[in-house]
Amino acid sequence: MADYSIWVLEYSYVKDYHKSGVLYGAHNQGYVKLPYCYVLIKGNGHTAMVDVGYNDKDYGKHLADKFGVENWHSPKDVLAGVGVRPEDVDTVFVTHSHFDHFGNVEAFPNAHFYIQEREISKNVWAMALPDRMRWMMTAVDPGDILRGVGLAQQKRLTMVDGSLEDALPGIDLHAAVDSHTYGSMWVTVRNDGKKQSDDTWVLAGDLVYVFENVEGSGWAVDVDTLYVPVGLAAGSQTNLVLATEEMMKQTGYEARRVIPIHEERLKDTFPCRITEDGLRISEICLADGESSKV
């Protein structure tokens, strides 16, 4: 009895992203396509998102151009592919404040947002530092942080400190402090509502970019599976590995249930449809009574 449907929705991509950015130590392994995506969760009377993409204007567009992002489409167009409007979204879980995850809050006027308190406060701290230290805000649009403060002023933002069980029924939030960012978090969907479940999905944000982060080849030591962290860590790769262990533990160490949102090969692992705009919809699971969108 599944309570929620989950889709990963691509809204743009980088054709050639250096593999060292997604896999620590992969300096001589070339380039990969990096889809830019967010997640739609639908069920239990809720329409929720994990992350919201970026807005393709102002400093967000500057960052997108800098990273070589192509084929951007608005949430209105992307969500239409699964029969949803941005106005239908009532809840948004923001995994971290990088521009491609937190830069489009204005597109969801009826949503209440959740983010780790540390993700806001530490970026405000970093904004106040001298410009020579701006590496600490890599991929962050300061305007997004200010828009987050605006959400708080409107009482549309919950600042989470650590873990939060049942943010929506059966959906939990977990912090990965000082890892990819100061206050990254992942979203766990216990899809039958049970505390221990064989139908649990982890939406990893950027704590996991590609399958190899969870199921490495064992190139460094003689093991079958080796966690290899993502390349970018404002905190530490150690904390990324520890977070990966916690995510895997929640799925009973079933790696396919830890969903890397930037992974192009989701289309080869789950049912998928490529839209007329050249963007993919990956269908992770369906709630009872929900029709397939792919």
Side-chain angles (χ1 to χ4, degrees):
M1 299 289 290
D3 295 325
Y4 293 101
S5 300
I6 302 174
W7 296 274
V8 177
L9 306 176
E10 183 179 24
Y11 70 89
S12 61
Y13 50 76
V14 178
K15 273 186 182 175
D16 296 304
Y17 193 84
H18 201 282
K19 203 165 184 180
S20 64
V22 300
L23 198 63
Y24 183 78
H27 298 297
N28 299 313
Q29 297 187 29
Y31 296 83
V32 293
K33 180 185 174 186
L34 190 74
Y36 277 26
C37 305
Y38 30 67
V39 180
L40 177 69
I41 306 172
K42 189 167 175 279
N44 261 345
H46 291 281
T47 301
M49 299 277 290
V50 179
D51 299 324
V52 292
Y54 74 93
N55 56 14
D56 203 42
K57 64 181 182 181
D58 303 327
Y59 195 66
K61 179 170 175 54
H62 167 77
L63 286 172
D65 291 343
K66 179 179 177 180
F67 285 106
V69 183
E70 302 179 32
N71 199 25
W72 180 89
H73 284 76
S74 70
K76 179 180 178 181
D77 293 338
V78 172
L79 289 171
V82 290
V84 171
R85 304 174 307 148
E87 294 83 1
D88 299 332
V89 175
D90 56 66
T91 306
V92 173
F93 305 116
V94 180
T95 62
H96 62 296
S97 61
H98 283 166
F99 82 105
D100 56 315
H101 296 258
F102 192 35
N104 215 5
V105 299
E106 294 168 323
F108 299 91
N110 300 319
H112 187 88
F113 288 74
Y114 291 76
I115 194 170
Q116 288 290 320
E117 183 275 335
R118 185 176 177 83
E119 190 71 355
I120 296 292
S121 62
K122 287 295 286 186
N123 273 294
V124 171
W125 166 78
M127 286 165 61
L129 296 174
D131 283 348
R132 62 183 174 273
M133 302 172 73
R134 285 194 63 181
W135 182 90
M136 293 194 213
M137 294 196 69
T138 298
V140 174
D141 179 353
D144 295 339
I145 305 302
L146 297 178
R147 280 182 281 273
V149 173
L151 289 172
Q153 185 180 32
Q154 300 165 33
K155 312 303 181 188
R156 293 177 55 206
L157 182 68
T158 293
M159 307 272 275
V160 184
D161 184 11
S163 296
L164 177 63
E165 188 174 288
D166 287 321
L168 293 178
I171 298 180
D172 307 328
L173 309 179
H174 299 274
V177 170
D178 290 334
S179 58
H180 179 60
T181 61
Y182 302 115
S184 287
M185 71 178 180
W186 74 88
V187 179
T188 301
V189 181
R190 295 178 282 109
N191 214 7
D192 55 9
K194 297 178 182 177
K195 301 297 182 186
Q196 298 293 326
S197 171
D198 293 331
D199 196 13
T200 292
W201 299 93
V202 167
L203 307 171
D206 279 6
L207 296 167
V208 177
Y209 268 105
V210 291
F211 295 144
E212 288 89 346
N213 297 131
V214 175
E215 295 182 295
S217 62
W219 54 266
V221 290
D222 187 18
V223 295
D224 292 331
T225 296
L226 178 75
Y227 300 153
V228 182
V230 304
L232 175 60
S236 79
Q237 272 80 17
T238 293
N239 289 337
L240 279 161
V241 170
L242 292 172
T244 302
E245 172 67 5
E246 289 302 310
M247 289 186 280
M248 287 287 283
K249 190 182 298 183
Q250 290 180 359
T251 67
Y253 294 92
E254 189 177 350
R256 73 180 294 272
R257 292 184 174 275
V258 177
I259 306 300
I261 308 307
H262 282 294
E263 174 58 84
E264 168 70 5
R265 291 167 294 177
L266 285 179
K267 64 180 174 56
D268 304 319
T269 308
F270 297 93
C272 178
R273 172 167 63 87
I274 306 298
T275 70
E276 61 183 16
D277 296 319
L279 301 170
R280 64 171 168 79
I281 298 170
S282 297
E283 193 165 81
I284 306 303
C285 62
L286 289 175
D288 294 345
E290 182 71 69
S291 61
S292 174
K293 309 305 181 189
V294 302

